[in-house]
Amino acid sequence: MKQIRRERERARTDRPDLDAVLDAAAVGTLATVLDGQPWVVPMLYARDGDRIILHGSTGAGALRHVAAGAPAAFCVTLLDGIVVADTLFDSSANYRSAVVRGHLTVIDPSDAAYALDLMSDALIPGRSSEVRPSTTKELSATLAMALPITPDGWTVKVRVGPPSPPDEAADSGGWAGVVPLRTVAGDPIPAPWVSADVDTPESVGRLVKGT
Amino acid sequence: MKQIRRERERARTDRPDLDAVLDAAAVGTLATVLDGQPWVVPMLYARDGDRIILHGSTGAGALRHVAAGAPAAFCVTLLDGIVVADTLFDSSANYRSAVVRGHLTVIDPSDAAYALDLMSDALIPGRSSEVRPSTTKELSATLAMALPITPDGWTVKVRVGPPSPPDEAADSGGWAGVVPLRTVAGDPIPAPWVSADVDTPESVGRLVKGT
């Protein structure tokens, strides 16, 4: 299986390429250094212009450490397809990935409601306008953080397209190509306490149609 | 949006729980520490009993660093559903995640062919028996690494089920539930040089049916 074939796998350097990758995913992996050791945690996130919004519990020790200014790297990966070549070596995957490096900051409590709305709307577009505003109690239990996107603080890599063409006669003749992968939403499952006559919200309907 | 609701989101401590998460995904995020900074890269992987097999190019500097014994953490996340609550605070996601911590080792070149077969079959089950064996040249261009799974070196977290029930009268009455997400494979796309009369391999057929 092939790790890198330069002609198909490329670093992208235009900022819109970064935004496109970040806006296409909902979960990423946050990494930092704790006592000299790598520390990672998956997190939901939202992009807000030139920053990534993350949030966790105010009770989480490691998150507090990160929030206090420790260096962080946030990695997002979308697996778009399985690349099937004539050889194991040239088999690979089509993907989009982004890494944003920087130092997290805690979002001021006065902006926490905005951050929470943004996080919700990234996951369920339009949802924030369908429910009541977050309460002070809810906001105080949320640790909202921001990772700034700086010009030199990110990398994007994308692989698209078919496998590399076979360069040996012995490899040719067999099938080669791509099995595309995509994420789809199934039928919404109401919670047990929801009456059967309650319609699903518009935001949920769009979510199911949009994937 | 809610970060953690203890009753629905649980650490799993049985080893089969770890294996189930690792075996369900194809890509993870490898983190290490370089010059005191967190460093992350998405990687394809395969579980081989009590170790995770990873591979990269022998030319990749940071991978060489990791392979040389630097501390590593490998994070796998599967997003299984969007949890839609009556409030933004209680909205969340269903997911499975695993983190394996340890020190990577380089796989002996004599085992590299085995590792490459394993990686391929993790991504495309059965593929290794359909193609010719990897050549010495191909194997020498592959840096195969192993991350051992030790009893204390991993954590698994899983969230399943509906949102937390509303605990305030003001929150009740609206729709709440889960939008399940899953990854599906589309029709295989032959590479441009593949004749129309070449059948797709059995492994690819199973891949499309199996997702």
Side-chain angles (χ1 to χ4, degrees):
Chain A
M1 181 127 47
K2 190 62 173 302
Q3 65 288 357
I4 285 179
R5 188 53 85 101
R6 303 294 171 187
E7 63 268 36
R8 299 272 176 210
E9 181 172 29
R10 291 225 174 82
R12 303 289 176 95
T13 54
D14 290 337
R15 176 56 194 275
D17 294 325
L18 172 68
D19 294 350
V21 173
L22 292 176
D23 294 351
V27 67
T29 301
L30 179 67
T32 186
V33 179
L34 272 179
D35 300 327
Q37 303 294 310
W39 180 90
V40 289
V41 65
M43 294 192 84
L44 296 170
Y45 73 94
R47 184 179 66 87
D48 180 33
D50 286 339
R51 61 183 188 167
I52 292 171
I53 306 290
L54 301 152
H55 78 143
S57 162
T58 48
L63 280 178
R64 278 186 181 282
H65 171 82
V66 172
F74 188 70
C75 180
V76 170
T77 308
L78 295 142
L79 187 61
D80 292 327
I82 296 173
V83 178
V84 183
D86 275 333
T87 63
L88 301 184
F89 185 73
D90 280 326
S91 295
S92 182
N94 281 338
Y95 68 91
R96 289 164 285 164
S97 77
V99 175
V100 176
R101 297 172 302 277
H103 294 260
L104 283 172
T105 56
V106 176
I107 290 179
D108 190 85
S110 66
D111 283 334
Y114 169 76
L116 204 56
D117 284 3
L118 197 84
M119 290 284 300
S120 295
D121 286 341
L123 200 60
I124 315 159
R127 182 62 176 157
S128 68
S129 64
E130 294 174 341
V131 298
R132 65 159 172 74
S134 299
T135 65
T136 306
K137 186 182 167 190
E138 290 169 347
L139 294 175
S140 67
T142 301
L143 180 64
M145 298 170 290
L147 179 63
I149 301 171
T150 59
D152 297 329
W154 59 271
T155 49
V156 167
K157 281 175 76 178
V158 175
R159 193 204 185 282
V160 291
S164 307
D167 48 12
E168 301 170 34
D171 291 339
S172 58
W175 192 89
V178 172
V179 178
L181 300 175
R182 68 181 200 283
T183 300
V184 298
D187 290 334
I189 302 165
W193 62 86
V194 173
S195 311
D197 60 354
V198 176
D199 289 335
T200 54
E202 285 183 23
S203 63
V204 171
R206 282 192 301 267
L207 201 61
V208 174
K209 270 173 61 181
T211 57
Chain B
M1 181 127 47
K2 190 62 173 302
Q3 65 288 359
I4 286 180
R5 186 53 84 102
R6 302 293 171 186
E7 63 270 35
R8 299 271 175 211
E9 180 173 30
R10 290 225 173 82
R12 303 289 175 96
T13 53
D14 292 337
R15 175 58 194 274
D17 294 325
L18 173 67
D19 294 349
V21 173
L22 292 177
D23 295 351
V27 68
T29 301
L30 179 67
T32 187
V33 180
L34 274 178
D35 301 326
Q37 302 294 308
W39 180 89
V40 291
V41 65
M43 294 192 84
L44 295 172
Y45 73 95
R47 185 179 67 87
D48 179 34
D50 286 340
R51 60 181 189 168
I52 293 171
I53 307 288
L54 301 151
H55 77 144
S57 163
T58 48
L63 280 179
R64 279 185 180 281
H65 171 82
V66 172
F74 188 70
C75 181
V76 169
T77 309
L78 295 142
L79 188 60
D80 293 326
I82 297 173
V83 178
V84 183
D86 276 334
T87 63
L88 301 184
F89 185 72
D90 281 325
S91 295
S92 183
N94 282 339
Y95 68 91
R96 290 164 285 164
S97 76
V99 175
V100 176
R101 297 173 301 279
H103 294 259
L104 283 172
T105 56
V106 176
I107 291 179
D108 189 85
S110 66
D111 283 334
Y114 170 77
L116 203 56
D117 283 4
L118 197 86
M119 290 285 301
S120 294
D121 286 341
L123 199 61
I124 315 160
R127 183 61 176 158
S128 67
S129 65
E130 294 174 340
V131 297
R132 65 159 173 74
S134 298
T135 65
T136 306
K137 185 181 168 192
E138 288 169 348
L139 294 174
S140 68
T142 301
L143 179 65
M145 299 171 289
L147 179 63
I149 301 171
T150 59
D152 297 331
W154 59 271
T155 49
V156 167
K157 282 175 76 178
V158 175
R159 192 203 186 282
V160 292
S164 307
D167 50 11
E168 298 171 35
D171 290 337
S172 58
W175 193 89
V178 171
V179 178
L181 300 176
R182 68 180 200 284
T183 301
V184 297
D187 291 333
I189 304 164
W193 62 87
V194 174
S195 311
D197 59 355
V198 175
D199 289 335
T200 54
E202 285 184 23
S203 63
V204 171
R206 283 193 300 269
L207 200 62
V208 175
K209 270 172 63 181
T211 57

